[in-house]
Amino acid sequence: MALLPDIHTEADIKILVDSFYDKVNQDDLLAPVFNGFAHVNWPSHLPAMYDFWSSLLLGTSRYRGRPFPKHLPLPVDAAHFQRWLELFYATVHENFAGPVAEEAKVRALNIATMFEYRIRKHNALSIL
């Protein structure tokens, strides 16, 4: 069994992002949210995601956006975030191994946890 590389280069980030979103686009739970509800413009979204993950994992500081507000109107709940994490973890496991790959999983868990909490909190408050 060949050892998998860790995440060290922009090419690695591209593999991570492209492989992950290939899974998302084929997923019965997530694809309708991304493509049906949000109508994601993939040619612009993917480069933004390269910048996002490059900033987090390689320290490039290229990402300048605010990701949470774009997610607030999405019809998602804990099941969507769990599935997002499952696909992300699977993508990391299939392509990478090492400290940065582990950091990617920790970052993804933190993002999913915070986004799910903030969306749930906002939705609960919005009906009062």
Side-chain angles (χ1 to χ4, degrees):
M1 183 173 152
L3 294 177
L4 293 172
D6 202 354
I7 301 168
H8 291 298
T9 68
E10 294 298 330
D12 295 335
I13 296 293
K14 189 171 186 320
I15 289 168
L16 174 66
V17 170
D18 289 348
S19 299
F20 171 66
Y21 283 108
D22 283 347
K23 286 177 176 40
V24 166
N25 276 304
Q26 296 173 35
D27 188 76
D28 291 339
L29 182 62
L30 298 180
V33 174
F34 280 81
N35 297 311
F37 185 86
H39 302 287
V40 171
N41 178 339
W42 292 106
S44 67
H45 185 67
L46 291 175
M49 293 299 90
Y50 303 149
D51 289 347
F52 179 80
W53 286 104
S54 177
S55 293
L56 288 180
L57 301 177
L58 304 180
T60 60
S61 302
R62 288 197 324 249
Y63 184 76
R64 299 279 185 235
R66 294 178 51 227
F68 180 73
K70 296 173 187 171
H71 293 80
L72 191 54
L74 298 178
V76 295
D77 59 23
H80 292 88
F81 287 102
Q82 182 61 42
R83 185 64 183 145
W84 184 89
L85 272 176
E86 290 169 2
L87 296 179
F88 191 88
Y89 286 2
T91 302
V92 172
H93 284 294
E94 290 166 7
N95 294 284
F96 303 103
V100 182
E102 292 303 310
E103 178 68 16
K105 293 188 291 185
V106 169
R107 297 287 186 123
L109 175 60
N110 290 341
I111 292 163
T113 301
M114 185 54 65
F115 278 29
E116 193 271 331
Y117 170 78
R118 289 179 69 192
I119 287 171
R120 185 179 67 234
K121 181 179 173 187
H122 179 272
N123 289 342
L125 293 176
S126 67
I127 62 171
L128 296 178

